[in-house]
Amino acid sequence: MSHKADLVTQASCAAGTVIGGEYEVGQLIARGGVGEVYRVTHRTLQAELALKVLLPEHRDREDVRLRFRTEGRALWEISHPNFVKVHHAGEDAVVGPFLVMELLRGRSLAALLARATIPFEQAIALTIQLAEACQAMHELEMIHRDLKPANVFLVAAGGGEIRAKLLDLGAAKIAKYGTPPTAEHMTVGTGRYMSPEHIACLPLSPASDVYSLAQIAFEMLTRSHPFDPAVAAPTSFDFQQWHLQRPPRRLSELCDEVPEEVSDVLLQAMSKSRVERFQSMTAFARALGQALRLARNSVPHEAPVSPPLAPAGGTRKMSAGELDGPSTEAMAPPFGERADGVVALWVWLQEGAAAKSFPLRAGELHVGRSERVELRLDHPSVSSKHARLVVHPNGIVELFDEGAKTGTWVNERAAKYGMLRHGDRVRLGQVVCELRLVDARLWR
């Protein structure tokens, strides 16, 4: 039986059914573990849209209904070009809650990866798009918890560009909306892509989604998992054990065209330790951007275009240049690490006294007045543990305010989080400090 015929037999809503008084059901286009999505027509506007409803067996479960409504509110609030757009949410007497979304024309990343790998530049550009979407979600205090190729849809966006769209927030952790709590010692998500802390039922953070997205990037380039399967048909349990115990493979050992810098970025993003990963999607995207710039600068002009996105005989060939990636002008060049491992200097600009410099090496350190912090600023306006710095070996420095009463400011703007550039001034209470990267190639 074909996939389309199989969907027809699975459909719980008959063609021609009207939901919410306006949406006439057409074809069932997708079915998951909890819900199903139909192509519908708005009877007044004659517009084709997508409508998502719960499967019949879940429509009377109040916890599932609440999570479904929460997903709709979250998608509406995010309103990002790399998230599927929600137009309407409502309640129907027969099917219960429903969401009306834009109808996407393209194919899922999972379906594409079943047929072909994705050219290097396109894979990196798509990963950066997804990172930007996740950053918007994280800024609204949401953790996705189920990033995977099946939840990513690829559409043509004009001018030869391919746009990635995140589809599903059904498993997301959205505490501010009252998401039903996950039962103790239970996890939601997909074992193949879970972070170690997710598997261990530990608290999650944006770095947990970074881990999953790095795996998606790896698969786009190799069509294989970062952990080389030791069995012919690995189960979800197998993958979870590998996440906890095995190191990921190095991407550059599998793909000659991938530079070592990209392998380094993905390996850091897939670190077993959450604190060793990029602490935000912005930091992850910027690190990938630097690697992409390095790759572009190292490819000679006479190099052939990248292979087609689909195999020979499929859709038209698409060169990597057709996908407009982020502006290379906003990306820092590759980082040359100093022999002593110092990435940057943290300079305390003291009024009427000589400046004090503190060397920053890759890792995490706290800034404050306490004698127990790694970077001590002995000033009454500085809190005992005022802020936290995460220093990456490629020159990216992230700043996190630790709830200091006197506030943290970057270039005179209040900041709970910031990604620092060379020359940025950070004010902690009344103390002014400046970040100075040791590699002059990063001074812009």
Side-chain angles (χ1 to χ4, degrees):
M1 182 181 293
S2 70
H3 176 66
K4 288 185 177 180
D6 192 41
L7 282 176
V8 170
T9 63
Q10 294 176 356
S12 65
C13 297
T17 302
V18 177
I19 294 176
E22 280 287 0
Y23 303 101
E24 184 174 334
V25 172
Q27 177 187 357
L28 175 66
I29 55 179
R31 199 170 197 267
V34 175
E36 52 191 4
V37 180
Y38 292 86
R39 183 192 301 268
V40 298
T41 301
H42 190 285
R43 301 176 80 185
T44 301
L45 301 177
Q46 288 299 297
E48 283 196 313
L49 299 161
L51 184 141
K52 183 175 181 179
V53 297
L54 292 171
L55 296 176
E57 59 265 34
H58 295 301
R59 290 172 187 168
D60 293 330
R61 289 184 53 186
E62 192 54 41
D63 60 329
V64 177
R65 291 166 64 94
L66 175 58
R67 190 176 292 280
F68 187 86
R69 295 190 191 98
T70 297
E71 178 186 8
R73 289 181 64 188
L75 287 170
W76 176 267
E77 185 174 359
I78 293 172
S79 189
H80 188 277
N82 294 109
F83 265 98
V84 65
K85 184 176 181 180
V86 169
H87 293 290
H88 180 216
E91 190 90 16
D92 182 82
V94 177
V95 301
F98 63 87
L99 297 177
V100 181
M101 304 170 288
E102 62 178 321
L103 180 65
L104 301 176
R105 304 179 189 279
R107 50 180 157 170
S108 73
L109 179 57
L112 179 59
L113 291 179
R115 300 177 55 196
T117 57
I118 296 179
F120 168 67
E121 283 208 18
Q122 288 182 326
I124 299 302
L126 290 172
T127 304
I128 290 173
Q129 288 184 33
L130 292 170
E132 291 171 347
C134 289
Q135 180 65 32
M137 174 182 63
H138 293 160
E139 289 174 0
L140 294 172
E141 301 177 12
M142 306 175 191
I143 307 296
H144 194 285
R145 297 200 294 187
D146 198 22
L147 291 175
K148 57 185 178 181
N151 282 340
V152 177
F153 206 81
L154 303 179
V155 299
E161 180 187 357
I162 299 172
R163 179 171 293 166
K165 294 265 192 176
L166 277 174
L167 299 182
D168 194 344
L169 284 178
K173 184 71 174 178
I174 315 172
K176 66 177 181 177
Y177 289 163
T179 307
T182 305
E184 187 176 3
H185 304 306
M186 296 292 289
T187 58
V188 296
T190 305
R192 184 182 176 100
Y193 302 96
M194 283 183 181
S195 66
E197 63 270 18
H198 193 171
I199 296 165
C201 299
L202 297 173
L204 304 184
S205 72
S208 306
D209 283 342
V210 167
Y211 183 93
S212 301
L213 182 54
Q215 293 180 75
I216 294 174
F218 191 103
E219 289 197 13
M220 281 196 279
L221 291 163
T222 67
R223 293 180 67 199
S224 65
H225 196 267
F227 304 97
D228 191 19
V231 293
T235 65
S236 177
F237 178 78
D238 290 326
F239 282 113
Q240 291 182 45
Q241 292 304 301
W242 297 339
H243 286 309
L244 292 172
Q245 299 170 5
R246 298 181 63 177
R249 293 180 291 171
R250 190 169 185 83
L251 183 59
S252 57
E253 295 175 357
L254 303 175
C255 300
D256 292 337
E257 68 172 324
V258 176
E260 292 291 337
E261 288 77 6
V262 174
S263 288
D264 291 340
V265 169
L266 292 185
L267 283 175
Q268 181 178 347
M270 291 188 288
S271 172
K272 303 294 184 195
S273 170
R274 178 173 53 190
V275 298
E276 292 178 2
R277 295 178 216 141
F278 299 99
Q279 297 301 294
S280 71
M281 283 290 185
T282 299
F284 181 38
R286 183 170 293 174
L288 283 174
Q290 291 179 205
L292 179 59
R293 175 171 180 156
L294 175 63
R296 285 173 171 167
N297 289 346
S298 64
V299 175
H301 293 296
E302 64 271 21
V305 297
S306 298
L309 196 60
T315 56
R316 68 180 179 88
K317 293 184 178 181
M318 303 182 69
S319 70
E322 288 183 80
L323 191 136
D324 297 327
S327 170
T328 58
E329 292 303 313
M331 298 174 188
F335 180 72
E337 190 172 331
R338 232 168 66 170
D340 59 2
V342 174
V343 174
L345 297 177
W346 184 264
V347 182
W348 181 1
L349 304 175
Q350 301 183 91
E351 188 174 349
K356 287 185 179 180
S357 294
F358 302 86
L360 302 182
R361 293 177 174 83
E364 180 178 285
L365 67 156
H366 290 88
V367 185
R369 196 173 73 251
S370 170
E371 294 182 356
R372 296 182 179 181
V373 301
E374 296 85 352
L375 202 162
R376 188 179 183 219
L377 302 176
D378 190 10
H379 192 278
S381 69
V382 176
S383 298
S384 296
K385 188 183 286 187
H386 198 111
R388 176 167 55 96
L389 294 174
V390 179
V391 183
H392 300 278
N394 54 8
I396 293 173
V397 179
E398 298 178 88
L399 170 74
F400 298 82
D401 178 85
E402 296 283 82
K405 294 181 179 180
T406 52
T408 301
W409 308 74
V410 177
N411 298 327
E412 293 307 314
R413 296 183 64 179
K416 292 293 184 183
Y417 168 80
M419 184 169 298
L420 305 180
R421 297 179 181 273
H422 176 74
D424 279 350
R425 292 203 169 187
V426 179
R427 180 161 60 84
L428 310 174
Q430 298 175 19
V431 170
V432 178
C433 300
E434 184 174 283
L435 180 77
R436 298 179 186 173
L437 298 175
V438 299
D439 192 326
R441 292 174 295 171
L442 300 175
W443 291 5
R444 62 188 181 98

